[in-house]
Structure formats: structure tokens, C-alpha cells
């Protein structure tokens, strides 16, 4: 217990943790603030103004049309032969503008719809906090290894697995706390944007529950990223190892495998790409299509479809994370420390 | 007297695909009695740090037996860790924390009262600089911090691997006093160092290691006495005759070290024999003195690491005991 509290303190004392936390706060605040300016609530006045504007546009169009027809008639009267080419048949009389062509909707400013759009912002939040979790998780244990802090600690607490486990627990607690607190602020901020500069219409209890579930999945992913970064840095005994591994996995999975499955024209190649699973974890499912099964010459066609569900994502991501974590603990148990 | 530290037949083998196996510890034995200050000596790469790391559970041995305070290691390590304070070879600390934070975190992890931090900071002379980041410390200040971290637990056994590394003369003398005080207060100290004058001054007993095996051990005066027999200084009337004399004596089976104006002989049973051998060659002795050797010369002798003019000794070129003929020299001083 004392070790756990110590590790929480150590993590909180780190400059990088504090710096990144500030950056994260600033980043999230900037996104929310900037976004709040781009959204405008559709008050009665705004709607009325839009109506007035589209009425005016309609009037202007009708006048233009009348003038054109008049010009055409005048030209005809002068004996002009090619009015058909310039004004169309019948001097364009049939092309009178219609009122429904000027929908006031098009003159409305963008309005943020909390119910429909907030889930996207949960993903944005998860991405930012996951990055935070990755860097903090990797550097926390990586710096301990590379500066000899781990060795010092093991002279006090010779139980290696307990020490590494406690550090991991301290990291995950911290990341969880940061996610929950910032997540609450994030939700509140966007609810405010919706309430005062957009709409929070149709936000029922069911919608809140679904938002809550999205949030939980986001927190799950953030913790997973933090734990994987921690395990990688501990395996490599250096912060840079985690960053290197992340870059390598990204390059192999997102670029290498993509190219390979394209060249080999593997059906549903994207199911071998890691980001598909991250995506479906958030979107609940991702649909992959195989257009090669279509012969468009024979007309329209339903391409073959493969659905990647979030449960499958949980399995893939969970197994991957578990493998790295087991590796880290196993190496902690077995390898010499010098 | 009871043994605070016992090591028997400790072996550690490093394997590398390229360079094959290296026996860093090759059946090493060591015993430290309670309340002693024990010097742990050996040439570079002889296995001192490896021994201490193994003892502290940082390295897994390939064989042998270890016990601290009567408890078998590494099984009992969690139980005895609270009574063992240690620094292992140029210890490092997280550079962005201050000394006080560093020690505070260790004290908290070890469930020690906070005021103990200030006590040890005072003890090692870092009180006024304790709030500064370790990154800004000088080598000796880091070393003092390391000693402080080892003392923090108020251990029964204190293990210090080259604690004097980087200390100023005042610091070394202070450290000497500190260790005496600690030993008087009942602490057992194991001290690895290359500063043999220092060891001779503060240690009650020593263990000397070479190539992973013990070459000598025991109380300092006994080790000195056992190996100072037969050390003789010889001066001749004419300095120019020294090379010839050295050759003659070497042929007579005496180990000779040439100095600019005299010869140092080792393994001489009867000094009279020396003067007779030389006189037979027409070389006349002007001085023939049995010398009381210091720890340094005994160390060089035992580990066979004395510099030889015109040769550059490589690490790992030192005394190997237990395998006759394979040593760097054919000396027989193994204990
Ligand atoms: N991780 C390792 N891998 C391979 N060989 C190692 C490793 N650590 C130590 N050794 C080897 O083990 C031997 C003993 O090293 P050790 O550090 O114990 O020496 P030492 O007695 O502390 O020397 P010094 O006086 O220079 O500190 C050396 O030959 C060294 O090269
Ligand atoms: Mg060493």
C-alpha cells in the first residue's frame, strides 16, 4: 500500500506528467472553444432572417429571369436569328425560378447537434487522452529503468513482480482519474455548447446511456493504450522502446499490411489492419466490402460484406495487450538487472 | 562471532552468442562477521559488483549459496531487505527530482518516518543542497546521496560498492569516520574500493577476488603478515649492477621487481641467501632490509596485477587460482 501511494506520488511529481497534463488541458479547451464559435443556435430570429434572405434571393432570381426574357424578346424584335442559342428555346420562359429552389435551410449557419454529433467528439477526446496515456505510461517506467530508479527501488522492495504491478496500477489509476475528470468536463462543455450555441433536442435518458457506454469504451481504450505503452517501455527498459515499437506497429500494420493485401488482392484486407479494430471499437462495428466480387458489366451489384464487431475488436486488442503485458512481467521476473 | 554475510561457491556465467561464455563468478566464497568493516578488493572486472548485485537479488546466480543475517538468499530477500542498505557501482537517480524528494520516495516505499530523510542528509553533508535537482549535482554529491540512500534504512548490513568514487579528500576522511562510527554502533559494513590505503585504515578484514575466485581473505593484519614474509629490499653499491643482479636472483627462483635505485624481492626465506648468491657473482649488497609490506603491494602480488615495465596489462590478466599453470603468474599465494 505504501508503495502504491509512493508510486502515485512519483508519477504526479514527474515534470513530464504535469507538462503533458497542461498541454492536454489546453488542447481540449482550445478545441472546445474554437468549436463553440463555429456553432450558432437557430433562434427564431436566425430562422426568420434565413427565411427573409431566401425570399430575397428568390425575388432577385425572378427579376433576373424576367429581364433575360425581356432582353430576348427585344433581340427577337430586332430580327436577331440566334436567340435560341443564347437564351434557350422560347427565350427561356419555361425556366422560371420556383420558390422551393430557395430553401431557407441553406442560409442557416451550422448548428451543433449534441445528440447526433457528440459521439464523434468522444472519439476525439479518447485519441487525445490515449496519446497522453501512451507518453506518460512509457516514460514513467522507461525513465525508471534508464536512470537506475528501478534498481534503487528493488533494493528496497525486492519483489519484482509486485513492484512492476504496483507501478502499473499507479499509472492506470492516474490515467483513469484524468480520463474521468476530463471526460466529465468535456461532456459538460459540449452539452453547454449544445445548450447555448446549438441544440440539445431529443437528448433522452437512452441517449445519455449510449453516450455513457461510448465513454466507457473510450476509457477502456485509453487504459489499454497506457498499459501497452508501459509494458513496451518496461520490456525494452527504455522510453524510446515503446515509441519505437508504436511507430513500427503503425508502419507494419497501417502501411505494410495495407500494401501487401492490395498487391495480393486478399479479400477484406482491412481486417488485418489494426486501425480497423480501433475504429470498430468506437463505432460498434465496421463494414468491409469486397468489390472484386462485383461484375459491374452485369449491372448493379451488392458487394460481399464483412462486419467487424466491437466484440471482435475487444478480443483482438485485448489479446494483443495481454501478450505485451505478460511479456513485460515475464521479463521482469527473469532478466538480470544491471 | 556470527556471520552476517556468507557466500559459498557462487557462480555467475554470462553467455553471449558472439563471445561465448564468461565466468564472472567461478565458485566464489566470502564470509563477513558481524560488526566488522570488511574490505572487498579485486582488480577491474574481477567480479565484485557482480557478487554484490547477485547478493541483492538483481542478478540470478548460476549456482552457489548465499545467506545474509543467517537467512538463505534469494528466498529470504524480501524479509532481510529492510536490514540491508546498499549502493551498487555509480548509482543513479532520477535527474529531475531533488535529493530530498528522491529519499522521501524511498522512505515512503520503505515505510520509514520522514525525519529520517533529514537525518541522513545531514549525515552525508547534503543538508543545504537537498532541495536542488539531482541533475545539477557534482559526482561526489551524487555519491553522497547514494550513501544517504543506503543509510536511510539504518541497516544492519551496509554494502557499499566504491563509495569513495568521486569524493573529495575531506569527504573520504569523513566517510572513514562515518564507517568507524557505524561499525562501533554495531553495523556491519562491506566496502568495495580500489583505494587500498583507505581500506587498510578502516577495514578489520578483507576478501580479495581475482577472476571470480577468492585469492585471499582474513583480518587485514593476518593477510599482511601472511604475505609480507620474504619481502626484501636490496640496494647495491653500484646502481648499474642492478639489472645483472635482478637476472641472477630471478634465476635463483626469487621474484624480483626492479625499481630505479633498488630491487624488491619477494618469497625470500633467508635474506642471507640473497647476499650469498649475489656475492658469488661479484655483486655486493649495500642494503638488505626485510620490508613490512602494505596492502597495496600484497594486493598486487596476490592478484598478479603489478605493472610490468614495457607491458600493457589487459583486464582479465590476473591471478587465477585453482587451476595450476593457468594463472598470469606462477605464484602460489592463493589462500
Ligand atoms: N551484463 C553482463 N554481460 C556480460 N558480462 C558481464 C556483464 N556484467 C558484468 N560482466 C563481466 O563480468 C565480469 C565481472 O564484472 P564486475 O562488474 O563484477 O567487475 P568488478 O569487479 O566490479 O570491476 P570494477 O572494479 O571495474 O568495478 C567482467 O568481466 C565483466 O565484463
Ligand atoms: Mg565494480
Amino acid at each position: 500500500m505504501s508503495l502504491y501511494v509512493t508510486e502515485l506520488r512519483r508519477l504526479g511529481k514527474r515534470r513530464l506528467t504535469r507538462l503533458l497534463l497542461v498541454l492536454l488541458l489546453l488542447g481540449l479547451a482550445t478545441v472546445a472553444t474554437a468549436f463553440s464559435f463555429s456553432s450558432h443556435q437557430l433562434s427564431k430570429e436566425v430562422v426568420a432572417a434565413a427565411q427573409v434572405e431566401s425570399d430575397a434571393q428568390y425575388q432577385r432570381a425572378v427579376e433576373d429571369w424576367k429581364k433575360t426574357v425581356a432582353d430576348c424578346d427585344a433581340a427577337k424584335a430586332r430580327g436577331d436569328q440566334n436567340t435560341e442559342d443564347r437564351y434557350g428555346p422560347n427565350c427561356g420562359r419555361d425556366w422560371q425560378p420556383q420558390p422551393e429552389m430557395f430553401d431557407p435551410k441553406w442560409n442557416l449557419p451550422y448548428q451543433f447537434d449534441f445528440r447526433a454529433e457528440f459521439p464523434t467528439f468522444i472519439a476525439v477526446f479518447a485519441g487525445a487522452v490515449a496519446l497522453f496515456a501512451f507518453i506518460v505510461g512509457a516514460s514513467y517506467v522507461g525513465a525508471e529503468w534508464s536512470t537506475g530508479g528501478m534498481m534503487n527501488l528493488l533494493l528496497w522492495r525486492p519483489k519484482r513482480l509486485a513492484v512492476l504491478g504496483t507501478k502499473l496500477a499507479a499509472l492506470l489509476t492516474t490515467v483513469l482519474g484524468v480520463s474521468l475528470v476530463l471526460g466529465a468536463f468535456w461532456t459538460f462543455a459540449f452539452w453547454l455548447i449544445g445548450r447555448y450555441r446549438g441544440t440539445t433536442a431529443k437528448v433522452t435518458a437512452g441517449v445519455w446511456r449510449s453516450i455513457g457506454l461510448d465513454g466507457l469504451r473510450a476509457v477502456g481504450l485509453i487504459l489499454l493504450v497506457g498499459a501497452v505503452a508501459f509494458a513496451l517501455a518496461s520490456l525494452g527498459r527504455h522510453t524510446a522502446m515503446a515509441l519505437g515499437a508504436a511507430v513500427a506497429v503503425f508502419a507494419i500494420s497501417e502501411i505494410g499490411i495495407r500494401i501487401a493485401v492490395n498487391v495480393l488482392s486478399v479479400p477484406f484486407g482491412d481486417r488485418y489492419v489494426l486501425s480497423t479494430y480501433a475504429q470498430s471499437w468506437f463505432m460498434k462495428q465496421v463494414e468491409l466490402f469486397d468489390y472484386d466480387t462485383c461484375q459491374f458489366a452485369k449491372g448493379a451489384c451488392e458487394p460481399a460484406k464483412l462486419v467487424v464487431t466491437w466484440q471482435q475488436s475487444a478480443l483482438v486488442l485485448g489479446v494483443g495487450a495481454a501478450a505485451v503485458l505478460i511479456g513485460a512481467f515475464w521479463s521482469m521476473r527473469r532478466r538480470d538487472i544491471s | 562471532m556470527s556471520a552476517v554475510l556468507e557466500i559459498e561457491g557462487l557462480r555467475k556465467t554470462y553467455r553471449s552468442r558472439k563471445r561465448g561464455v564468461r565466468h564472472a563468478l567461478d565458485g566464489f566464497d566470502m564470509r563477513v562477521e558481524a560488526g566488522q568493516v570488511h574490505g572487498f578488493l579485486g582488480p577491474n572486472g574481477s567480479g565484485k559488483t557482480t557478487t554484490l548485485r547477485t547478493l541483492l537479488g538483481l542478478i540470478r546466480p548460476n549456482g552457489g549459496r548465499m545467506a545474509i543475517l543467517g537467512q538463505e538468499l534469494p528466498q529470504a530477500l524480501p524479509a532481510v531487505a529492510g536490514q540491508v542498505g546498499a549502493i551498487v557501482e555509480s548509482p543513479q537517480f532520477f535527474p529531475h527530482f531533488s535529493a530530498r524528494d528522491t529519499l522521501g520516495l524511498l522512505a515512503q516505499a520503505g515505510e520509514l518516518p520522514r525525519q529520517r530523510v533529514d537525518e541522513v542528509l545531514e549525515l552525508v553533508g547534503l543538508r543545504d543542497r537537498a532541495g536542488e535537482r539531482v541533475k545539477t549535482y557534482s559526482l561526489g554529491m551524487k555519491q553522497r546521496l547514494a550513501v544517504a540512500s543506503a543509510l536511510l534504512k539504518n541497516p544492519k548490513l551496509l554494502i557499499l560498492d566504491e563509495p569513495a568514487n568521486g569524493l573529495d579528500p575531506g569527504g573520504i576522511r569523513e566517510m572513514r569516520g562515518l564507517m568507524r562510527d557505524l561499525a562501533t554502533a554495531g553495523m556491519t559494513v562491506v566496502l568495495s574500493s580500489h583505494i587500498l590505503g583507505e581500506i587498510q585504515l578502516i577495514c578489520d578484514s578483507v576478501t580479495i577476488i581475482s577472476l571470480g575466485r577468492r585469492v585471499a581473505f582474513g583480518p587485514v593484519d593476518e593477510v599482511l603478515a601472511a604475505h609480507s614474509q620474504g619481502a626484501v629490499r636490496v640496494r647495491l653499491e653500484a646502481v648499474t649492477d642492478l639489472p645483472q643482479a635482478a637476472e641472477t636472483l630471478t634465476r635463483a627462483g626469487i621474484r624480483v621487481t626492479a625499481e630505479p635505485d633498488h630491487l624488491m624481492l619477494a618469497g625470500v626465506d633467508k635474506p642471507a641467501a640473497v647476499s650469498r648468491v649475489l656475492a658469488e657473482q661479484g655483486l655486493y649488497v649495500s642494503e638488505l632490509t626485510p620490508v613490512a609490506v602494505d596492502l597495496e603491494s600484497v594486493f598486487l602480488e596476490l592478484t598478479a596485477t603489478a605493472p610490468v615495465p614495457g607491458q600493457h596489462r589487459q583486464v582479465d590478466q590476473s591471478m587465477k587460482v585453482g587451476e595450476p599453470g593457468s594463472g598470469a603468474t606462477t605464484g602460489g599465494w592463493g589462500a
Side-chain angles (χ1 to χ4, degrees):
Chain A
M1 197 58 208
S2 60
L3 184 59
Y4 175 72
V5 178
T6 310
E7 289 307 318
L8 281 181
R9 242 183 87 205
R10 186 198 307 281
L11 185 54
K13 259 185 188 296
R14 287 176 53 82
R15 282 192 319 168
L16 190 72
T17 312
R18 296 178 177 180
L19 180 73
L20 281 179
L21 195 58
V22 169
L23 285 181
L24 181 65
L25 271 170
L26 283 179
L28 291 178
T30 310
V31 169
T33 313
F35 184 72
S36 77
F37 284 114
S38 73
S39 174
H40 298 274
Q41 196 157 45
L42 302 185
S43 58
K44 280 208 185 64
E45 297 80 54
V46 175
V47 174
Q51 184 67 53
V52 167
E53 194 177 345
S54 52
D55 286 351
Q57 281 166 341
Y58 170 67
Q59 292 304 336
R60 238 177 289 132
V62 170
E63 252 132 57
D64 284 352
W65 168 75
K66 280 184 181 153
K67 186 165 175 293
T68 315
V69 172
D71 283 354
C72 174
D73 285 343
K76 245 187 189 163
R78 269 184 267 118
D80 212 332
Q81 289 305 311
N82 57 354
T83 51
E84 290 259 314
D85 294 348
R86 277 163 52 200
Y87 299 98
N90 202 12
C91 279
R93 268 193 184 74
D94 311 331
W95 296 339
Q96 175 172 9
Q98 302 300 312
E100 59 269 22
M101 290 168 146
F102 298 87
D103 193 326
K105 234 186 351 207
W106 298 337
N107 290 317
L108 287 177
Y110 166 73
Q111 170 179 261
F112 170 63
D113 181 352
F114 185 81
R115 188 180 72 99
E117 291 168 291
F118 185 61
T120 314
F121 286 95
I122 295 181
V124 171
F125 174 81
V129 183
L131 188 65
F132 167 84
F134 189 93
I135 300 176
V136 167
S139 76
Y140 165 53
V141 72
E144 281 287 281
W145 276 116
S146 53
T147 64
M150 187 66 97
M151 198 179 89
N152 275 330
L153 190 57
L154 286 172
L155 295 181
W156 285 73
R157 293 286 187 125
K159 291 185 174 159
R160 295 192 187 183
L161 293 189
V163 165
L164 194 66
T166 309
K167 279 185 184 289
L168 180 60
L171 170 73
L172 292 184
T173 320
T174 305
V175 170
L176 180 68
V178 167
S179 310
L180 292 182
V181 171
L182 291 188
F185 274 118
W186 187 249
T187 311
F188 186 57
F190 277 82
W191 186 82
L192 283 182
I193 296 173
R195 175 73 185 71
Y196 293 104
R197 300 188 67 90
T199 174
T200 48
K202 289 184 266 176
V203 181
T204 58
V207 171
W208 278 118
R209 199 171 55 238
S210 143
I211 286 176
L213 287 177
D214 284 356
L216 274 186
R217 282 208 304 274
V219 170
L221 191 76
I222 291 166
L223 291 181
L224 184 120
V225 167
V228 166
F230 177 93
L232 287 175
S234 183
L235 258 180
R237 300 193 170 179
H238 206 286
T239 308
M241 290 298 287
L243 304 179
V247 171
V249 166
F250 181 83
I252 291 173
S253 162
E254 307 304 316
I255 302 169
I257 295 186
R258 276 239 160 87
I259 293 175
V261 296
N262 268 336
V263 170
L264 304 173
S265 54
V266 180
F268 306 117
D270 274 3
R271 80 175 126 160
Y272 301 108
V273 176
L274 206 55
S275 62
T276 306
Y277 292 90
Q279 211 182 333
S280 100
W281 175 252
F282 269 116
M283 322 279 280
K284 297 187 196 72
Q285 63 173 48
V286 166
E287 295 178 347
L288 303 176
F289 296 101
D290 184 9
Y291 294 98
D292 289 347
T293 56
C294 275
Q295 290 167 321
F296 291 104
K298 290 186 180 165
C301 139
E302 278 280 292
K305 189 166 95 173
L306 181 83
V307 177
V308 177
T309 64
W310 68 268
Q311 288 95 336
Q312 288 170 341
S313 291
L315 192 69
V316 169
L317 299 178
V319 166
V324 181
L325 278 168
I326 289 171
F329 277 87
W330 185 82
S331 126
M332 181 69 175
R333 206 184 132 79
R334 299 291 312 170
R335 273 176 59 190
D336 286 346
I337 294 161
S338 50
Chain B
M1 269 201 290
S2 62
V4 168
L5 170 60
E6 287 169 280
I7 295 177
E8 277 169 26
L10 193 63
R11 286 189 300 108
K12 174 66 188 180
T13 307
Y14 288 109
R15 284 164 211 285
S16 104
R17 215 161 292 138
K18 251 188 253 159
R19 283 171 295 278
V21 296
R22 169 182 305 283
H23 300 287
L25 292 175
D26 199 5
F28 176 67
D29 304 310
M30 185 170 180
R31 191 181 157 90
V32 180
E33 308 290 342
Q36 284 191 336
V37 179
H38 189 94
F40 188 19
L41 319 177
N44 293 141
S46 54
K48 301 181 297 295
T49 302
T50 305
T51 305
L52 299 181
R53 284 212 170 103
T54 312
L55 206 55
L56 296 165
L58 300 173
I59 290 181
R60 196 176 287 267
N62 296 92
R65 173 186 162 254
M66 303 176 285
I68 286 184
L69 298 163
Q71 309 225 47
E72 292 298 313
L73 300 184
Q75 300 82 340
L77 193 58
V80 297
Q83 294 162 350
V84 182
I87 63 173
V88 184
E89 202 167 82
S90 55
Q92 305 205 317
F93 297 97
F94 188 65
H96 300 296
F97 286 175
S98 69
R100 184 169 283 118
D101 284 343
T102 305
L103 296 180
L105 288 169
L106 284 176
Q108 194 179 12
E111 292 168 348
L112 296 175
R114 265 209 78 87
Q115 89 245 15
R116 181 72 191 144
V117 171
D118 291 316
E119 280 170 31
V120 291
L121 283 171
E122 173 76 39
L123 212 54
V124 300
L126 278 179
R127 182 195 25 178
D128 299 334
R129 304 287 296 269
E132 291 173 30
R133 287 191 292 156
V134 172
K135 198 176 134 175
T136 66
Y137 282 9
S138 72
L139 173 63
M141 288 162 73
K142 283 183 198 147
Q143 200 67 32
R144 286 164 187 260
L145 173 59
V147 174
S149 79
L151 287 173
L152 201 53
K153 295 186 231 189
N154 202 0
K156 289 215 175 83
L157 171 63
L158 184 64
I159 295 177
L160 303 172
D161 193 1
E162 305 193 26
N165 188 6
L167 289 192
D168 53 24
I172 292 181
R173 185 174 283 189
E174 246 173 75
M175 181 82 78
R176 195 192 302 157
L178 178 64
M179 254 157 241
R180 280 234 188 82
D181 294 348
L182 293 173
T184 316
M187 199 182 284
T188 309
V189 183
V190 174
L191 183 67
S192 130
S193 176
H194 294 299
I195 311 175
L196 296 186
E198 202 54 33
I199 295 281
Q200 199 173 351
L201 278 175
I202 45 178
C203 289
D204 304 306
S205 56
V206 291
T207 296
I208 302 182
I209 182 176
S210 176
L211 291 177
R213 293 187 188 175
R214 182 167 69 177
V215 293
F217 68 100
V220 176
D221 41 2
E222 276 179 30
V223 170
L224 287 177
H227 301 99
S228 63
Q229 316 162 338
V232 170
R233 183 170 57 227
V234 175
R235 279 183 215 278
L236 299 185
E237 277 170 348
V239 175
T240 44
D241 289 339
L242 282 176
Q244 198 200 334
E247 205 187 304
T248 311
L249 290 168
T250 309
R251 248 188 283 118
I254 295 170
R255 264 170 298 137
V256 182
T257 316
E259 304 287 344
D261 62 344
H262 66 274
L263 298 177
M264 287 300 299
L265 312 186
V268 181
D269 288 338
K270 288 181 228 110
V274 172
S275 84
R276 200 185 60 233
V277 168
L278 291 178
E280 280 166 9
Q281 299 292 318
L283 301 161
Y284 296 102
V285 204
S286 66
E287 181 192 332
L288 187 66
T289 336
V291 216
V293 285
D294 58 358
L295 192 56
E296 181 172 288
S297 27
V298 171
F299 175 88
L300 294 177
E301 175 84 45
L302 285 172
T303 56
T305 51
V308 178
Q311 277 184 31
H312 299 285
R313 189 182 65 86
Q314 304 299 303
V315 291
D316 291 346
Q317 262 183 338
S318 64
M319 176 61 70
K320 175 126 190 169
V321 291
E323 285 171 32
S326 64
T329 69
T330 48
W333 290 112

